[in-house]
Amino acid sequence: MTDSPNPTVILGGGFTGLFTAIHLVRQNYEKPIVLIDRNSRFTFQPLLYEFLTEEMTAEQVCPHYEKLLSGKEIKFVRDTVEAIDLPEKNLCLASGLTYTYDHLVLALGSIVNYFGVEGARENALTFRNQADALALREHLRDCLQRASMTEDAEKRRALLTVALGWSVGCGISRNPGGSAAPLVCDTRRRSARNSHRTAGTDGRNSRGRY
Ligand SMILES: Cc1cc2nc3c(=O)[nH]c(=O)nc-3n(C[C@H](O)[C@H](O)[C@H](O)COP(=O)(O)OP(=O)(O)OC[C@H]3O[C@@H](n4cnc5c(N)ncnc54)[C@H](O)[C@@H]3O)c2cc1C
């Protein structure tokens, strides 16, 4: 009787985890591969702006892992990693499921860092996944609608001012302020009268008038 080998378990299905799994399959990797993520959808983060502005759909920007991995020898498990026992080579998931692995890939990403910017944690909306983008879209629309209904210039100005905080220090990043503009512009054509203003925490300001 031959024992089936323990799998290689990849924790986290972001760019790092997902593409590691796909790369291994393409190399005809001999061990079973298990990819674990707490979400059912992958987020193509650089295209999240296009999802926010409805230029692209959820299926394009946040496809289901099942669809992405269809036909590939990768087992996807939707669950949250709770504990890892490195010496024993096993891990425990929130559902109670446990895995014993031969090799482990840790690709759990990062958490939001506010870098000590005062008020950011309490007041900012995060922008990392589909749920964040939907919440932000609703919030911007709500501000625009309220701005279009007030005669108070100061109030309108406050409602149409958007502060952006982002970091461009570690990669090729696109301008989120510019990308948010079409949403503001499009909604404005329908409802609001004033220009919007965006202010980035990296010191650059931009103003849009449509
Ligand atoms: C809006 C936006 C635009 C960007 N644009 C660019 C760009 O243009 N160019 C560029 O180079 N970079 C860009 N980035 C950065 C880039 O997307 C990230 O650096 C990259 O996605 C990080 O990948 P990762 O796999 O390390 O982490 P993540 O993508 O964070 O993946 C980690 C995964 O682990 C899962 N996970 C975490 N904890 C657990 C747990 N306990 N149990 C189960 N699953 C868990 C999460 O659900 C997630 O799917 C952008 C980022 C954002 C937010």
Side-chain angles (χ1 to χ4, degrees), residues 17-66:
L18 178 67
F19 284 88
T20 300
I22 291 172
H23 176 76
L24 289 176
V25 165
R26 287 193 181 143
Q27 302 299 310
N28 298 317
Y29 190 66
E30 72 284 0
K31 287 183 195 294
I33 300 169
V34 178
L35 176 66
I36 301 173
D37 199 286
R38 61 185 166 200
N39 295 316
S40 58
R41 288 170 178 265
F42 170 73
T43 305
F44 198 105
Q45 289 179 331
L47 291 177
L48 210 51
Y49 312 113
E50 280 77 2
F51 175 66
L52 172 73
T53 56
E54 295 182 326
E55 290 161 82
M56 294 181 80
T57 65
E59 280 61 40
Q60 290 171 313
V61 180
C62 313
H64 284 279
Y65 286 106
E66 269 178 20

Side-chain angles (χ1 to χ4, degrees), residues 11-17 36-39 41 43 45-49 65 79-82 107-110 127-128 170-174:
L11 301 181
F15 278 115
T16 313
I36 301 173
D37 199 286
R38 61 185 166 200
N39 295 316
R41 288 170 178 265
T43 305
Q45 289 179 331
L47 291 177
L48 210 51
Y49 312 113
Y65 286 106
D79 214 326
T80 300
V81 186
E82 292 224 315
L108 294 167
S110 56
F127 188 64
R128 294 176 63 130
C170 58
I172 305 159
S173 195
R174 303 167 51 215

